[in-house]
Amino acid sequence: MDITVVSAFVLLGLMGLLFGAILAFIAKKFAVTVDERVSQVLEALPGINCGACGYPGCSGFAKSVVDGKAPVSGCIPGGKAVADNIAQILGKEVGENVAMVAVARCGGGCQNAVDKYEYKGLMDCRAAYILGGGPKQCDYGCTGLGTCVEACPFRALTLGENRIPLTDFDKCTGCGICVRICPNNVMMLIPADQMVYVACNSPDKAAATKKACAVGCIGCQLCLKSCPKEAIRINGFLAEVIDENCIGCGVCILKCPTNAIVDRGTGIPLPEPEKMTRRRLKKEAEGKKDKKSPDETTLIETSNGSNQPESQPENEN
Amino acid sequence: MNIGNLMIIAISAILINNFVLSRFLGLCPFLGVSKKIDSSIGMGMAVIFVLTLASAVTWIIYEYFLLPVPQNIIYRIFHLFNTSTTPEMFDLAYLETIAFILVIASLVQLVEMVIQRVSPPLYESLGIFLPLITTNCAILGVAELNTITIHYSFIESTVHGFSAGIGFTIALILMAGIREKLELADVPPAFKGLPIAFIVAGLMSLAFLGFSGLSF
């Protein structure tokens, strides 16, 4: 055999062998002890690397859980079963985990919100947002191009007739991907048992909001004043429902002059009090069962009663 | 060879022929790891280490194993058994790229293991760019310049590699400093993120071209 060929083999072979030996020695000397719980947790996870936990893949999440940075129940697709497994591995308790769902804080859409200009570009909210904050007069509202719908890994979002994303609450896992992708911060996570929310994102003053949108929150404080449980907070000119206090009675929905407050059960402002939300039915059933909180039951009853005369003319109209 | 000569090599590699801003080598980590000053310093140190050692080791391999010269070690070993062999039969210069990459990859592996042990936060912040030093063209570029293009001596090669690393680190830290300030600047939305970083890199490159007026 040609000696040149042999020497090339010898040279590269020896180099590889030498460097390999040095690296093996260094690897032994500088070995990093990997926490074996990380690999155990990783095995317990679904391993689909969906990223719904907010970490890059399952391995990133496993590491953070073991470090105590991420909650045990952080794996959203895995649900309770995976959370229990992880808690067992780490010897921790599964914390009280509030399930969240995503809703669109906007009722504008193509019917209620005034257009600023006609957008004829890439059908992507993020692209439209760069052009002066989107094609709507309201700078805070939904552009309605459906970027969140495409981004949702669980196909829980659809664009409604009004081109506002509607959430399928059975499919939504509260992963928050739509919240992160929405350029206008329209999508918001709310606790899964919170039925009433303010479907507006505009902190503008009343006049500006009114000009841009028929169903914007104008900060009139009627809901704040009517709420029996102090479950409304006004930030600037935008109302917000405080979940801890809200009993889902729906008084604010009826009081709101612009129909900006929405009940999740129906997705529209309730025209009549008979259309009770699941939450209200539940609350009432509980109240009747154990009469422990008579205040609450009476409140609901009175609020329902007082609302009836107000809402009926609305229906007739 | 004297100290003055080495100084000239160093200054030329740091300022005049800065590897990032004048030769446009190693742009990937230059834009990838220049978001925070801390991690850019760590990256710079890792690159200096790899560059210096790679320059030294590749020079030895090129001069003593690849070139068909009488001091070629493979030739000498074969010559012991068979006196009819000549140095020309051991012209392995065509193996230079694979041999250099082998050296660089091993060094990067070594650095990676050491950093992972010594400073896990730095290891985390460098992320994928640490193993990517392997394919950092600045390092292969320095090795090629040392051996083939300019043909430095051993000491000159090592100094050249070291100062190339210093030049890379300076460019990286300057860039990181500017980008930290840029975070707070009112950048037009279309230019946010990488676009403005590229513009900054171009302006820095223009500024560094001013050093080409330096003469000795």
Side-chain angles (χ1 to χ4, degrees):
Chain A
M1 213 198 299
D2 189 358
I3 203 155
T4 319
V5 179
V6 175
S7 60
F9 271 108
V10 169
L11 176 70
L12 283 185
L14 281 181
M15 272 173 69
L17 211 63
L18 180 70
F19 292 145
I22 294 173
L23 282 182
F25 176 72
I26 301 277
K28 264 267 182 292
K29 191 135 195 199
F30 283 88
V32 178
T33 45
V34 180
D35 198 332
E36 63 179 28
R37 290 179 303 173
V38 175
S39 52
Q40 283 175 350
V41 170
L42 192 57
E43 257 170 56
L45 290 171
I48 51 172
N49 293 319
C50 67
C53 52
Y55 290 91
C58 290
S59 58
F61 173 70
K63 212 158 169 277
S64 305
V65 168
V66 173
D67 291 346
K69 284 179 205 153
V72 173
S73 51
C75 179
I76 291 151
K80 200 174 176 326
V82 169
D84 286 341
N85 275 340
I86 298 173
Q88 208 177 359
I89 294 166
L90 300 178
K92 280 186 190 167
E93 296 273 312
V94 182
E96 192 64 34
N97 184 32
V98 185
M100 305 290 266
V101 288
V103 291
R105 283 192 281 189
C106 182
C110 42
Q111 289 157 18
N112 299 321
V114 181
D115 281 347
K116 192 191 283 175
Y117 56 85
E118 196 182 339
Y119 179 71
K120 280 187 181 170
L122 191 63
M123 291 308 269
D124 188 302
C125 300
R126 291 164 295 182
Y129 177 69
I130 295 171
L131 289 173
K136 297 283 178 214
Q137 185 74 51
C138 171
D139 281 341
Y140 310 93
C142 177
T143 9
L145 301 179
T147 296
C148 52
V149 175
E150 277 162 39
C152 180
F154 304 100
R155 293 170 190 243
L157 294 173
T158 44
L159 277 187
E161 276 175 37
N162 209 4
R163 296 201 72 80
I164 297 281
L166 298 174
T167 315
D168 182 339
F169 295 107
D170 295 331
K171 288 181 185 165
C172 182
T173 59
C175 67
I177 286 173
C178 52
V179 177
R180 286 194 288 275
I181 208 162
C182 179
N184 275 5
N185 286 326
V186 170
M187 300 305 291
M188 172 181 62
L189 287 179
I190 61 170
D193 58 354
Q194 179 188 337
M195 296 308 282
V196 177
Y197 67 96
V198 180
C200 182
N201 188 29
S202 165
D204 273 350
K205 288 184 180 168
T209 309
K210 196 83 186 162
K211 217 173 172 181
C213 182
V215 294
C217 175
I218 53 175
C220 65
Q221 311 207 338
L222 278 182
C223 48
L224 181 72
K225 286 170 193 155
S226 67
C227 182
K229 283 287 182 187
E230 294 180 353
I232 300 275
R233 176 164 53 205
I234 309 266
N235 300 326
F237 291 89
L238 181 61
E240 190 189 338
V241 176
I242 305 165
D243 174 56
E244 294 92 71
N245 299 345
C246 180
I247 53 169
C249 65
V251 174
C252 48
I253 297 173
L254 298 161
K255 284 281 181 188
C256 182
T258 56
N259 290 339
I261 306 181
V262 170
D263 189 298
R264 243 182 56 202
T266 56
I268 47 163
L270 292 181
E272 62 246 313
E274 284 85 41
K275 269 196 184 173
M276 284 188 177
T277 63
R278 276 179 279 170
R279 166 118 174 205
R280 267 194 290 163
L281 284 171
K282 203 175 115 197
K283 286 268 177 188
E284 275 198 358
E286 277 172 10
K288 274 173 191 161
K289 224 187 277 171
D290 58 26
K291 292 282 173 189
K292 266 176 196 169
S293 52
D295 292 352
E296 206 169 284
T297 11
T298 47
L299 258 176
I300 294 165
E301 277 162 13
T302 49
S303 63
N304 283 348
S306 65
N307 286 327
Q308 241 152 359
E310 277 175 30
S311 58
Q312 271 164 353
E314 258 177 49
N315 290 341
E316 282 159 19
N317 292 339
Chain B
M1 184 198 68
N2 52 32
I3 298 294
N5 191 22
L6 293 182
M7 286 292 288
I8 289 172
I9 289 174
I11 287 174
S12 110
I14 294 172
L15 296 176
I16 302 165
N17 287 324
N18 185 294
F19 271 76
V20 180
L21 298 171
S22 297
R23 290 193 200 267
F24 306 116
L25 293 171
L27 286 176
C28 168
F30 178 64
L31 290 164
V33 200
S34 58
K35 279 196 189 124
K36 280 199 311 215
I37 289 185
D38 289 348
S39 53
S40 69
I41 292 174
M43 182 70 180
M45 294 303 138
V47 169
I48 291 176
F49 180 81
V50 174
L51 260 176
T52 315
L53 273 184
S55 302
V57 178
T58 52
W59 188 90
I60 294 171
I61 285 177
Y62 187 72
E63 291 290 320
Y64 287 96
F65 291 93
L66 301 181
L67 279 187
V69 286
Q71 71 263 32
N72 186 318
I73 288 174
I74 303 175
Y75 157 72
R76 287 197 180 173
I77 293 170
F78 274 88
H79 194 72
L80 290 178
F81 303 107
N82 184 353
T83 45
S84 67
T85 51
T86 56
E88 283 69 38
M89 296 167 93
F90 298 94
D91 184 5
L92 294 178
Y94 65 91
L95 282 180
E96 113 206 78
T97 309
I98 189 170
F100 288 2
I101 285 291
L102 197 59
V103 172
I104 295 165
S106 310
L107 283 171
V108 171
Q109 276 293 306
L110 195 146
V111 173
E112 196 180 344
M113 283 190 284
V114 172
I115 289 183
Q116 193 178 8
R117 174 65 181 265
V118 176
S119 168
L122 180 59
Y123 181 76
E124 292 280 319
S125 67
L126 293 180
I128 185 69
F129 291 101
L130 189 54
L132 274 184
I133 299 179
T134 309
T135 51
N136 186 337
C137 48
I139 293 170
L140 188 62
V142 170
E144 299 267 340
L145 283 173
N146 284 340
T147 51
I148 301 157
T149 318
I150 310 181
H151 210 87
Y152 282 133
S153 73
F154 178 71
I155 303 287
E156 284 170 341
S157 297
T158 316
V159 169
H160 186 227
F162 179 73
S163 37
I166 299 274
F168 178 86
T169 310
I170 287 176
L172 198 62
I173 293 173
L174 286 178
M175 183 70 171
I178 295 173
R179 281 181 82 176
E180 279 192 358
K181 291 248 167 30
L182 268 183
E183 291 282 308
L184 307 170
D186 188 17
V187 180
F191 284 108
K192 276 210 173 100
L194 266 188
I196 194 76
F198 274 107
I199 293 172
V200 167
L203 291 175
M204 284 176 72
S205 176
L206 276 178
F208 264 70
L209 278 182
F211 285 116
S212 61
L214 272 181
S215 60
F216 299 100

